[in-house]
Amino acid sequence: MYPRNDVLSHPASKELLKYAIEGCPVDCGANWTLEHIETAIQRGAHPSARTPEAAKACREEALARVKEKCCRLVDWETLKREGIPPNLKVSPIAAIPHKSRLFRMILDLAFDIRVNGELLGSVNDSSDKSLAPAHSMFELGNVIPRIVWVLAKADPNLPFLISKIDLKDGYWRMCVSEENAWNFAYVLPKLSEDEPTQLVVPDALQMGWSESPAFFCAATETARDVADKNFESKKEEPPHELEDIMMDVDWGSLPPLPEISDIEDSRFQKLLEVYIDDFIGLIQCKNEGQLRRFSRNILNAIYNTFPPPAVTGSKMGPPVSRAKLELEGKWELRKEILGWLVDGLNRTIELPPNKCEKLLAELDMTI
């Protein structure tokens, strides 16, 4: 993350620049003793990451992050000889089943270490929460209600087109300082017992850290503000390389609209929301040019907040996955948003059938 261009005019840009240059501020409490650290290392990964399949997936992901220069891999015995960083803390890595790949790796920073009957607070419990911009998350609970409201109040004769853009590897794009990264270390799962013990030290926010969402939302909410402002002001934005993917619209599926000359701008509604790493757009579109401008505004704001490798020199990929955009980012009349099916033609919101089946099955079990 490194704000540039229009994003620099946003009131939050100075804070974001500080995060980008110095790293997000981290204070995870008192330093651990060697005994605590060795106890945590001996425990190793969460049980979910100890199966051969999960351990292999965890190693592959960790080594890929090392290659991208998002992580460091250090040998534990070497670290002991050369000097253990005072704020080193070791938490268990967990392997969570994921819809698009076998596992998602999440660092269990809520795990409490116990040594000789003494309970040491987890990294999350010990973190100074005053350092994170908690206000950046205040609107998360209002995203779905606002979508419902705009569907309800808009002209029923004008359909909504809907898009969702997912930010790829979002937390990994928010750095922490080299010193503070030691708070988020974990043991690399071994494939055999004779392997040396190695620690993975992430140089970025971790999904399992309680303060990560606030820092990350500060950046994504800023990108949303900039995109929305530029669209409302009709600012001319440069073309974006991904906008044609979003513009692959089945125009023949849209119902006949009133003559454009008969439609006032005030009758059209649009909404741009962000829920952590999902940018959600709804728009009643007069023409292809208007839709392209909205798409361009959103993409440029994202790329001006999270610049691509060509700008930063990062080993990571671009902030928006082309493949994911082709699956979810095209403007459509009906799309799944935050677990709900939103219908821009019939103005309805409903649970997907698979979720209804799971809920009904659970209800049957309680009867």
Side-chain angles (χ1 to χ4, degrees):
M1 187 276 299
Y2 198 99
R4 60 183 183 139
N5 299 335
D6 288 348
V7 181
L8 292 175
S9 64
H10 191 279
S13 62
K14 290 183 179 179
E15 200 66 23
L16 294 185
L17 274 173
K18 188 175 180 181
Y19 297 162
I21 296 170
E22 301 177 9
C24 298
V26 175
D27 182 349
C28 295
N31 297 335
W32 287 12
T33 65
L34 178 60
E35 188 177 17
H36 282 117
I37 294 170
E38 289 184 328
T39 299
I41 289 176
Q42 186 176 6
R43 184 186 189 280
H46 187 274
S48 63
R50 293 179 192 169
T51 66
E53 190 177 42
K56 181 181 177 182
C58 181
R59 288 173 64 92
E60 289 175 351
E61 180 172 317
L63 294 176
R65 297 295 183 193
V66 171
K67 190 174 181 180
E68 293 174 345
K69 299 190 182 302
C70 299
C71 283
R72 287 167 280 151
L73 196 61
V74 297
D75 182 82
W76 171 234
E77 293 301 325
T78 301
L79 195 65
K80 282 198 293 185
R81 287 195 305 270
E82 296 180 352
I84 299 173
N87 58 346
L88 173 62
K89 298 175 179 66
V90 180
S91 301
I93 191 72
I96 310 300
H98 193 259
K99 61 181 180 180
S100 62
R101 57 184 186 270
L102 281 178
F103 301 101
R104 166 180 280 173
M105 300 303 163
I106 298 181
L107 194 55
D108 185 4
L109 293 164
F111 184 80
D112 294 314
I113 299 293
R114 187 181 294 273
V115 178
N116 299 324
E118 177 191 356
L119 189 65
L120 179 69
S122 69
V123 171
N124 280 347
D125 288 340
S126 305
S127 295
D128 183 351
K129 302 186 183 308
S130 69
L131 298 178
H135 60 276
S136 68
M137 300 189 297
F138 287 176
E139 296 300 319
L140 293 183
N142 294 323
V143 172
I144 289 296
R146 275 200 288 260
I147 290 175
V148 171
W149 175 248
V150 78
L151 291 173
K153 74 172 184 176
D155 190 319
N157 298 310
L158 305 174
F160 277 95
L161 288 171
I162 310 166
S163 173
K164 181 169 78 73
I165 303 175
D166 177 63
L167 196 64
K168 188 174 185 293
D169 298 328
Y171 285 3
W172 288 99
R173 298 180 187 277
M174 303 287 293
C175 68
V176 297
S177 70
E178 184 175 341
E179 177 186 356
N180 286 332
W182 293 103
N183 289 284
F184 307 126
Y186 65 90
V187 178
L188 183 70
K190 298 180 182 181
L191 298 183
S192 64
E193 287 302 320
D194 58 351
E195 292 181 0
T197 298
Q198 294 180 298
L199 300 181
V200 181
V201 185
D203 292 302
L205 293 182
Q206 292 302 288
M207 186 173 291
W209 190 38
S210 57
E211 310 314 298
S212 290
F215 289 113
F216 185 63
C217 286
T220 55
E221 288 283 357
T222 297
R224 191 221 72 87
D225 290 350
V226 172
D228 198 55
K229 178 182 177 182
N230 286 345
F231 183 79
E232 291 292 342
S233 66
K234 295 183 170 55
K235 182 179 183 296
E236 192 65 32
E237 288 277 317
H240 194 280
E241 60 181 334
L242 299 179
E243 64 185 57
D244 286 340
I245 296 176
M246 297 180 68
M247 292 299 299
D248 186 13
V249 179
D250 182 8
W251 295 102
S253 68
L254 299 181
L257 295 177
E259 290 295 328
I260 291 178
S261 59
D262 296 334
I263 302 174
E264 299 177 3
D265 283 348
S266 60
R267 286 179 59 191
F268 282 89
Q269 299 287 333
K270 74 99 178 69
L271 180 70
L272 178 60
E273 294 289 337
V274 62
Y275 189 91
I276 305 180
D277 60 350
D278 286 338
F279 288 80
I280 303 157
L282 289 83
I283 186 170
Q284 293 175 309
C285 184
K286 284 193 299 185
N287 53 56
E288 186 175 346
Q290 186 187 45
L291 188 64
R292 183 174 293 275
R293 189 167 65 85
F294 196 34
S295 307
R296 190 175 288 179
N297 283 139
I298 301 170
L299 289 168
N300 280 330
I302 293 173
Y303 272 58
N304 283 332
T305 308
F306 301 91
V311 175
T312 63
S314 168
K315 299 292 183 181
M316 294 182 69
V320 177
S321 163
R322 182 177 290 269
K324 194 76 175 285
L325 193 65
E326 288 175 348
L327 285 174
E328 300 181 344
K330 296 178 183 179
W331 292 102
E332 297 173 307
L333 289 171
R334 183 176 171 88
K335 193 174 292 289
E336 184 171 335
I337 300 295
L338 304 182
W340 294 88
L341 282 176
V342 180
D343 191 317
L345 179 61
N346 297 311
R347 311 300 175 85
T348 59
I349 180 170
E350 61 188 276
L351 285 175
N354 63 319
K355 292 190 176 181
C356 291
E357 292 170 4
K358 289 181 180 178
L359 285 172
L360 289 171
E362 288 190 20
L363 288 172
D364 286 342
M365 292 174 61
T366 63
I367 297 175

mmCIF file of all heavy atoms in Angstrom, residues 45-46 48-62 65 92-98 101-108 171-172 186 189 206-208:
data_model
loop_
_atom_site.group_PDB
_atom_site.id
_atom_site.type_symbol
_atom_site.label_atom_id
_atom_site.label_comp_id
_atom_site.label_asym_id
_atom_site.label_seq_id
_atom_site.Cartn_x
_atom_site.Cartn_y
_atom_site.Cartn_z
ATOM 1 N N ALA A 45 2.598 -25.929 15.196
ATOM 2 C CA ALA A 45 1.397 -25.490 14.488
ATOM 3 C C ALA A 45 0.124 -25.922 15.203
ATOM 4 O O ALA A 45 0.114 -26.821 16.051
ATOM 5 C CB ALA A 45 1.406 -26.044 13.068
ATOM 6 N N HIS A 46 -0.963 -25.257 14.864
ATOM 7 C CA HIS A 46 -2.296 -25.646 15.312
ATOM 8 C C HIS A 46 -2.581 -27.057 14.788
ATOM 9 O O HIS A 46 -2.089 -27.439 13.722
ATOM 10 C CB HIS A 46 -3.305 -24.639 14.750
ATOM 11 C CG HIS A 46 -4.694 -24.807 15.253
ATOM 12 N ND1 HIS A 46 -5.590 -25.682 14.671
ATOM 13 C CD2 HIS A 46 -5.364 -24.223 16.284
ATOM 14 C CE1 HIS A 46 -6.747 -25.610 15.302
ATOM 15 N NE2 HIS A 46 -6.628 -24.747 16.288
ATOM 16 N N SER A 48 -4.901 -28.247 13.174
ATOM 17 C CA SER A 48 -5.443 -28.235 11.815
ATOM 18 C C SER A 48 -4.356 -28.179 10.745
ATOM 19 O O SER A 48 -4.595 -28.539 9.588
ATOM 20 C CB SER A 48 -6.379 -27.029 11.635
ATOM 21 O OG SER A 48 -5.660 -25.813 11.791
ATOM 22 N N ALA A 49 -3.160 -27.737 11.125
ATOM 23 C CA ALA A 49 -2.068 -27.609 10.156
ATOM 24 C C ALA A 49 -1.020 -28.707 10.315
ATOM 25 O O ALA A 49 0.045 -28.635 9.711
ATOM 26 C CB ALA A 49 -1.401 -26.239 10.301
ATOM 27 N N ARG A 50 -1.329 -29.742 11.085
ATOM 28 C CA ARG A 50 -0.344 -30.790 11.323
ATOM 29 C C ARG A 50 -0.512 -32.000 10.430
ATOM 30 O O ARG A 50 0.370 -32.852 10.377
ATOM 31 C CB ARG A 50 -0.406 -31.228 12.795
ATOM 32 C CG ARG A 50 0.042 -30.162 13.778
ATOM 33 C CD ARG A 50 -0.081 -30.657 15.203
ATOM 34 N NE ARG A 50 0.077 -29.562 16.161
ATOM 35 C CZ ARG A 50 -0.187 -29.665 17.453
ATOM 36 N NH1 ARG A 50 -0.621 -30.827 17.944
ATOM 37 N NH2 ARG A 50 -0.038 -28.631 18.261
ATOM 38 N N THR A 51 -1.638 -32.135 9.754
ATOM 39 C CA THR A 51 -1.789 -33.253 8.834
ATOM 40 C C THR A 51 -0.809 -33.069 7.679
ATOM 41 O O THR A 51 -0.439 -31.931 7.345
ATOM 42 C CB THR A 51 -3.221 -33.324 8.279
ATOM 43 O OG1 THR A 51 -3.466 -32.158 7.467
ATOM 44 C CG2 THR A 51 -4.241 -33.365 9.410
ATOM 45 N N PRO A 52 -0.353 -34.153 7.063
ATOM 46 C CA PRO A 52 0.611 -34.021 5.954
ATOM 47 C C PRO A 52 0.126 -33.084 4.850
ATOM 48 O O PRO A 52 0.893 -32.278 4.333
ATOM 49 C CB PRO A 52 0.749 -35.458 5.449
ATOM 50 C CG PRO A 52 0.442 -36.303 6.644
ATOM 51 C CD PRO A 52 -0.624 -35.561 7.398
ATOM 52 N N GLU A 53 -1.154 -33.184 4.523
ATOM 53 C CA GLU A 53 -1.706 -32.349 3.452
ATOM 54 C C GLU A 53 -1.681 -30.872 3.838
ATOM 55 O O GLU A 53 -1.270 -30.014 3.047
ATOM 56 C CB GLU A 53 -3.139 -32.795 3.158
ATOM 57 C CG GLU A 53 -3.741 -32.165 1.914
ATOM 58 C CD GLU A 53 -5.129 -32.703 1.627
ATOM 59 O OE1 GLU A 53 -5.919 -32.863 2.589
ATOM 60 O OE2 GLU A 53 -5.428 -32.952 0.452
ATOM 61 N N ALA A 54 -2.119 -30.568 5.068
ATOM 62 C CA ALA A 54 -2.151 -29.177 5.519
ATOM 63 C C ALA A 54 -0.743 -28.628 5.720
ATOM 64 O O ALA A 54 -0.465 -27.471 5.388
ATOM 65 C CB ALA A 54 -2.948 -29.063 6.813
ATOM 66 N N ALA A 55 0.153 -29.444 6.275
ATOM 67 C CA ALA A 55 1.533 -28.997 6.492
ATOM 68 C C ALA A 55 2.208 -28.651 5.166
ATOM 69 O O ALA A 55 2.924 -27.650 5.064
ATOM 70 C CB ALA A 55 2.321 -30.083 7.229
ATOM 71 N N LYS A 56 1.963 -29.483 4.163
ATOM 72 C CA LYS A 56 2.543 -29.223 2.840
ATOM 73 C C LYS A 56 2.008 -27.914 2.266
ATOM 74 O O LYS A 56 2.763 -27.096 1.730
ATOM 75 C CB LYS A 56 2.229 -30.377 1.902
ATOM 76 C CG LYS A 56 2.818 -30.217 0.503
ATOM 77 C CD LYS A 56 2.440 -31.382 -0.397
ATOM 78 C CE LYS A 56 2.982 -31.160 -1.808
ATOM 79 N NZ LYS A 56 2.574 -32.266 -2.721
ATOM 80 N N ALA A 57 0.680 -27.707 2.382
ATOM 81 C CA ALA A 57 0.076 -26.473 1.870
ATOM 82 C C ALA A 57 0.614 -25.255 2.610
ATOM 83 O O ALA A 57 0.878 -24.204 1.991
ATOM 84 C CB ALA A 57 -1.445 -26.550 2.003
ATOM 85 N N CYS A 58 0.786 -25.379 3.922
ATOM 86 C CA CYS A 58 1.305 -24.273 4.731
ATOM 87 C C CYS A 58 2.727 -23.921 4.313
ATOM 88 O O CYS A 58 3.078 -22.749 4.168
ATOM 89 C CB CYS A 58 1.249 -24.644 6.204
ATOM 90 S SG CYS A 58 1.829 -23.334 7.309
ATOM 91 N N ARG A 59 3.546 -24.930 4.114
ATOM 92 C CA ARG A 59 4.931 -24.697 3.702
ATOM 93 C C ARG A 59 4.985 -24.021 2.334
ATOM 94 O O ARG A 59 5.744 -23.071 2.119
ATOM 95 C CB ARG A 59 5.694 -26.021 3.660
ATOM 96 C CG ARG A 59 6.005 -26.610 5.017
ATOM 97 C CD ARG A 59 6.608 -27.993 4.859
ATOM 98 N NE ARG A 59 7.897 -27.930 4.160
ATOM 99 C CZ ARG A 59 9.062 -27.812 4.772
ATOM 100 N NH1 ARG A 59 9.115 -27.742 6.098
ATOM 101 N NH2 ARG A 59 10.189 -27.785 4.082
ATOM 102 N N GLU A 60 4.172 -24.507 1.416
ATOM 103 C CA GLU A 60 4.170 -23.931 0.064
ATOM 104 C C GLU A 60 3.775 -22.467 0.091
ATOM 105 O O GLU A 60 4.379 -21.633 -0.590
ATOM 106 C CB GLU A 60 3.228 -24.725 -0.839
ATOM 107 C CG GLU A 60 3.748 -26.116 -1.186
ATOM 108 C CD GLU A 60 2.749 -26.941 -1.992
ATOM 109 O OE1 GLU A 60 1.578 -26.478 -2.125
ATOM 110 O OE2 GLU A 60 3.114 -28.023 -2.474
ATOM 111 N N GLU A 61 2.743 -22.151 0.895
ATOM 112 C CA GLU A 61 2.306 -20.757 0.974
ATOM 113 C C GLU A 61 3.371 -19.887 1.636
ATOM 114 O O GLU A 61 3.658 -18.778 1.173
ATOM 115 C CB GLU A 61 0.994 -20.653 1.747
ATOM 116 C CG GLU A 61 0.485 -19.222 1.862
ATOM 117 C CD GLU A 61 -0.901 -19.126 2.461
ATOM 118 O OE1 GLU A 61 -1.772 -19.935 2.091
ATOM 119 O OE2 GLU A 61 -1.112 -18.230 3.303
ATOM 120 N N ALA A 62 3.966 -20.389 2.719
ATOM 121 C CA ALA A 62 4.987 -19.612 3.430
ATOM 122 C C ALA A 62 6.193 -19.346 2.536
ATOM 123 O O ALA A 62 6.704 -18.218 2.476
ATOM 124 C CB ALA A 62 5.420 -20.351 4.694
ATOM 125 N N ARG A 65 5.479 -16.727 0.017
ATOM 126 C CA ARG A 65 5.541 -15.385 0.611
ATOM 127 C C ARG A 65 6.985 -14.940 0.812
ATOM 128 O O ARG A 65 7.310 -13.764 0.672
ATOM 129 C CB ARG A 65 4.803 -15.368 1.947
ATOM 130 C CG ARG A 65 3.318 -15.662 1.857
ATOM 131 C CD ARG A 65 2.572 -14.609 1.088
ATOM 132 N NE ARG A 65 1.146 -14.872 1.074
ATOM 133 C CZ ARG A 65 0.277 -14.258 0.283
ATOM 134 N NH1 ARG A 65 0.711 -13.348 -0.562
ATOM 135 N NH2 ARG A 65 -1.005 -14.558 0.323
ATOM 136 N N PRO A 92 0.709 -20.286 16.946
ATOM 137 C CA PRO A 92 0.471 -21.430 16.055
ATOM 138 C C PRO A 92 -0.215 -21.019 14.746
ATOM 139 O O PRO A 92 -1.132 -20.193 14.759
ATOM 140 C CB PRO A 92 -0.431 -22.342 16.884
ATOM 141 C CG PRO A 92 -1.101 -21.439 17.865
ATOM 142 C CD PRO A 92 -0.158 -20.311 18.141
ATOM 143 N N ILE A 93 0.240 -21.578 13.645
ATOM 144 C CA ILE A 93 -0.402 -21.344 12.352
ATOM 145 C C ILE A 93 -1.526 -22.371 12.192
ATOM 146 O O ILE A 93 -1.377 -23.539 12.565
ATOM 147 C CB ILE A 93 0.608 -21.452 11.187
ATOM 148 C CG1 ILE A 93 -0.013 -20.948 9.871
ATOM 149 C CG2 ILE A 93 1.172 -22.853 11.041
ATOM 150 C CD1 ILE A 93 -0.195 -19.459 9.805
ATOM 151 N N ALA A 94 -2.675 -21.941 11.690
ATOM 152 C CA ALA A 94 -3.831 -22.823 11.505
ATOM 153 C C ALA A 94 -4.163 -22.942 10.027
ATOM 154 O O ALA A 94 -3.939 -22.008 9.251
ATOM 155 C CB ALA A 94 -5.031 -22.290 12.280
ATOM 156 N N ALA A 95 -4.686 -24.102 9.635
ATOM 157 C CA ALA A 95 -5.090 -24.342 8.245
ATOM 158 C C ALA A 95 -6.612 -24.440 8.190
ATOM 159 O O ALA A 95 -7.199 -25.383 8.725
ATOM 160 C CB ALA A 95 -4.442 -25.615 7.722
ATOM 161 N N ILE A 96 -7.246 -23.468 7.554
ATOM 162 C CA ILE A 96 -8.704 -23.396 7.488
ATOM 163 C C ILE A 96 -9.162 -23.780 6.082
ATOM 164 O O ILE A 96 -8.671 -23.211 5.096
ATOM 165 C CB ILE A 96 -9.201 -21.976 7.820
ATOM 166 C CG1 ILE A 96 -8.557 -21.477 9.131
ATOM 167 C CG2 ILE A 96 -10.722 -21.953 7.905
ATOM 168 C CD1 ILE A 96 -8.845 -22.320 10.327
ATOM 169 N N PRO A 97 -10.091 -24.749 5.934
ATOM 170 C CA PRO A 97 -10.605 -25.095 4.597
ATOM 171 C C PRO A 97 -11.124 -23.858 3.879
ATOM 172 O O PRO A 97 -11.742 -22.984 4.487
ATOM 173 C CB PRO A 97 -11.732 -26.087 4.896
ATOM 174 C CG PRO A 97 -11.358 -26.686 6.214
ATOM 175 C CD PRO A 97 -10.694 -25.572 6.992
ATOM 176 N N HIS A 98 -10.855 -23.796 2.571
ATOM 177 C CA HIS A 98 -11.195 -22.591 1.807
ATOM 178 C C HIS A 98 -11.906 -22.983 0.523
ATOM 179 O O HIS A 98 -11.653 -24.052 -0.046
ATOM 180 C CB HIS A 98 -9.910 -21.807 1.496
ATOM 181 C CG HIS A 98 -10.145 -20.429 0.987
ATOM 182 N ND1 HIS A 98 -10.058 -20.094 -0.338
ATOM 183 C CD2 HIS A 98 -10.485 -19.284 1.635
ATOM 184 C CE1 HIS A 98 -10.311 -18.810 -0.499
ATOM 185 N NE2 HIS A 98 -10.579 -18.294 0.688
ATOM 186 N N ARG A 101 -9.291 -22.844 -2.661
ATOM 187 C CA ARG A 101 -8.097 -23.677 -2.559
ATOM 188 C C ARG A 101 -8.252 -24.592 -1.352
ATOM 189 O O ARG A 101 -9.215 -24.475 -0.605
ATOM 190 C CB ARG A 101 -6.830 -22.812 -2.435
ATOM 191 C CG ARG A 101 -6.815 -21.837 -1.272
ATOM 192 C CD ARG A 101 -5.549 -20.986 -1.322
ATOM 193 N NE ARG A 101 -5.383 -20.129 -0.171
ATOM 194 C CZ ARG A 101 -5.833 -18.900 -0.059
ATOM 195 N NH1 ARG A 101 -6.516 -18.374 -1.066
ATOM 196 N NH2 ARG A 101 -5.609 -18.177 1.007
ATOM 197 N N LEU A 102 -7.330 -25.517 -1.163
ATOM 198 C CA LEU A 102 -7.485 -26.492 -0.086
ATOM 199 C C LEU A 102 -7.593 -25.831 1.285
ATOM 200 O O LEU A 102 -8.468 -26.145 2.086
ATOM 201 C CB LEU A 102 -6.310 -27.474 -0.098
ATOM 202 C CG LEU A 102 -6.373 -28.595 -1.131
ATOM 203 C CD1 LEU A 102 -5.117 -29.455 -1.051
ATOM 204 C CD2 LEU A 102 -7.620 -29.457 -0.934
ATOM 205 N N PHE A 103 -6.652 -24.896 1.559
ATOM 206 C CA PHE A 103 -6.607 -24.277 2.879
ATOM 207 C C PHE A 103 -6.275 -22.797 2.771
ATOM 208 O O PHE A 103 -5.607 -22.369 1.829
ATOM 209 C CB PHE A 103 -5.531 -24.937 3.763
ATOM 210 C CG PHE A 103 -5.729 -26.400 3.988
ATOM 211 C CD1 PHE A 103 -5.006 -27.334 3.269
ATOM 212 C CD2 PHE A 103 -6.646 -26.847 4.928
ATOM 213 C CE1 PHE A 103 -5.185 -28.695 3.477
ATOM 214 C CE2 PHE A 103 -6.836 -28.205 5.146
ATOM 215 C CZ PHE A 103 -6.106 -29.129 4.414
ATOM 216 N N ARG A 104 -6.752 -22.056 3.752
ATOM 217 C CA ARG A 104 -6.287 -20.691 3.989
ATOM 218 C C ARG A 104 -5.524 -20.703 5.309
ATOM 219 O O ARG A 104 -6.019 -21.226 6.306
ATOM 220 C CB ARG A 104 -7.454 -19.713 4.061
ATOM 221 C CG ARG A 104 -7.063 -18.346 4.642
ATOM 222 C CD ARG A 104 -8.232 -17.397 4.696
ATOM 223 N NE ARG A 104 -8.483 -16.806 3.399
ATOM 224 C CZ ARG A 104 -9.528 -16.048 3.129
ATOM 225 N NH1 ARG A 104 -10.441 -15.822 4.057
ATOM 226 N NH2 ARG A 104 -9.691 -15.533 1.932
ATOM 227 N N MET A 105 -4.311 -20.169 5.287
ATOM 228 C CA MET A 105 -3.486 -20.171 6.486
ATOM 229 C C MET A 105 -3.758 -18.909 7.317
ATOM 230 O O MET A 105 -3.640 -17.798 6.810
ATOM 231 C CB MET A 105 -2.008 -20.242 6.111
ATOM 232 C CG MET A 105 -1.649 -21.487 5.326
ATOM 233 S SD MET A 105 -2.092 -22.987 6.211
ATOM 234 C CE MET A 105 -2.046 -24.185 4.882
ATOM 235 N N ILE A 106 -4.122 -19.108 8.565
ATOM 236 C CA ILE A 106 -4.402 -17.995 9.472
ATOM 237 C C ILE A 106 -3.595 -18.187 10.746
ATOM 238 O O ILE A 106 -3.625 -19.255 11.361
ATOM 239 C CB ILE A 106 -5.904 -17.895 9.798
ATOM 240 C CG1 ILE A 106 -6.706 -17.636 8.519
ATOM 241 C CG2 ILE A 106 -6.158 -16.784 10.815
ATOM 242 C CD1 ILE A 106 -8.193 -17.507 8.750
ATOM 243 N N LEU A 107 -2.875 -17.159 11.143
ATOM 244 C CA LEU A 107 -2.077 -17.217 12.357
ATOM 245 C C LEU A 107 -2.993 -17.055 13.565
ATOM 246 O O LEU A 107 -3.730 -16.069 13.666
ATOM 247 C CB LEU A 107 -1.018 -16.115 12.325
ATOM 248 C CG LEU A 107 0.126 -16.204 13.334
ATOM 249 C CD1 LEU A 107 0.845 -17.544 13.252
ATOM 250 C CD2 LEU A 107 1.109 -15.071 13.113
ATOM 251 N N ASP A 108 -2.951 -18.037 14.476
ATOM 252 C CA ASP A 108 -3.825 -18.011 15.651
ATOM 253 C C ASP A 108 -3.190 -17.139 16.731
ATOM 254 O O ASP A 108 -2.562 -17.627 17.667
ATOM 255 C CB ASP A 108 -4.036 -19.437 16.158
ATOM 256 C CG ASP A 108 -5.046 -19.493 17.309
ATOM 257 O OD1 ASP A 108 -5.620 -18.431 17.639
ATOM 258 O OD2 ASP A 108 -5.243 -20.571 17.878
ATOM 259 N N TYR A 171 -4.274 -8.009 3.232
ATOM 260 C CA TYR A 171 -3.472 -7.712 4.422
ATOM 261 C C TYR A 171 -1.980 -7.753 4.129
ATOM 262 O O TYR A 171 -1.196 -7.028 4.756
ATOM 263 C CB TYR A 171 -3.794 -8.704 5.538
ATOM 264 C CG TYR A 171 -5.126 -8.475 6.231
ATOM 265 C CD1 TYR A 171 -5.995 -7.475 5.811
ATOM 266 C CD2 TYR A 171 -5.520 -9.263 7.303
ATOM 267 C CE1 TYR A 171 -7.207 -7.268 6.434
ATOM 268 C CE2 TYR A 171 -6.742 -9.063 7.943
ATOM 269 C CZ TYR A 171 -7.580 -8.055 7.497
ATOM 270 O OH TYR A 171 -8.784 -7.846 8.125
ATOM 271 N N TRP A 172 -1.576 -8.607 3.192
ATOM 272 C CA TRP A 172 -0.159 -8.715 2.851
ATOM 273 C C TRP A 172 0.360 -7.445 2.184
ATOM 274 O O TRP A 172 1.567 -7.271 2.030
ATOM 275 C CB TRP A 172 0.076 -9.919 1.950
ATOM 276 C CG TRP A 172 -0.061 -11.221 2.677
ATOM 277 C CD1 TRP A 172 -1.152 -12.041 2.693
ATOM 278 C CD2 TRP A 172 0.914 -11.835 3.522
ATOM 279 N NE1 TRP A 172 -0.922 -13.131 3.486
ATOM 280 C CE2 TRP A 172 0.342 -13.036 4.009
ATOM 281 C CE3 TRP A 172 2.214 -11.497 3.901
ATOM 282 C CZ2 TRP A 172 1.039 -13.896 4.867
ATOM 283 C CZ3 TRP A 172 2.897 -12.358 4.747
ATOM 284 C CH2 TRP A 172 2.306 -13.534 5.225
ATOM 285 N N TYR A 186 5.828 -17.618 13.456
ATOM 286 C CA TYR A 186 5.262 -18.955 13.673
ATOM 287 C C TYR A 186 6.236 -20.011 13.169
ATOM 288 O O TYR A 186 7.159 -19.716 12.406
ATOM 289 C CB TYR A 186 3.888 -19.117 13.004
ATOM 290 C CG TYR A 186 3.867 -19.039 11.493
ATOM 291 C CD1 TYR A 186 4.019 -20.181 10.705
ATOM 292 C CD2 TYR A 186 3.650 -17.825 10.836
ATOM 293 C CE1 TYR A 186 3.958 -20.123 9.323
ATOM 294 C CE2 TYR A 186 3.594 -17.754 9.464
ATOM 295 C CZ TYR A 186 3.746 -18.903 8.701
ATOM 296 O OH TYR A 186 3.704 -18.841 7.340
ATOM 297 N N PRO A 189 5.737 -25.659 9.569
ATOM 298 C CA PRO A 189 5.480 -27.093 9.777
ATOM 299 C C PRO A 189 6.527 -27.957 9.080
ATOM 300 O O PRO A 189 6.950 -27.660 7.961
ATOM 301 C CB PRO A 189 4.093 -27.295 9.157
ATOM 302 C CG PRO A 189 3.439 -25.963 9.239
ATOM 303 C CD PRO A 189 4.545 -24.974 9.014
ATOM 304 N N GLN A 206 -1.233 -9.550 9.695
ATOM 305 C CA GLN A 206 -1.710 -10.923 9.651
ATOM 306 C C GLN A 206 -3.215 -10.988 9.864
ATOM 307 O O GLN A 206 -3.784 -10.242 10.673
ATOM 308 C CB GLN A 206 -0.989 -11.752 10.703
ATOM 309 C CG GLN A 206 0.487 -11.940 10.412
ATOM 310 C CD GLN A 206 0.702 -12.608 9.063
ATOM 311 O OE1 GLN A 206 0.443 -13.787 8.889
ATOM 312 N NE2 GLN A 206 1.190 -11.833 8.098
ATOM 313 N N MET A 207 -3.871 -11.899 9.133
ATOM 314 C CA MET A 207 -5.308 -12.031 9.220
ATOM 315 C C MET A 207 -5.762 -12.349 10.644
ATOM 316 O O MET A 207 -6.843 -11.958 11.072
ATOM 317 C CB MET A 207 -5.798 -13.101 8.253
ATOM 318 C CG MET A 207 -7.298 -13.215 8.169
ATOM 319 S SD MET A 207 -7.854 -14.326 6.883
ATOM 320 C CE MET A 207 -7.391 -13.402 5.419
ATOM 321 N N GLY A 208 -4.945 -13.069 11.412
ATOM 322 C CA GLY A 208 -5.344 -13.440 12.759
ATOM 323 C C GLY A 208 -5.129 -12.367 13.813
ATOM 324 O O GLY A 208 -5.503 -12.566 14.977
#
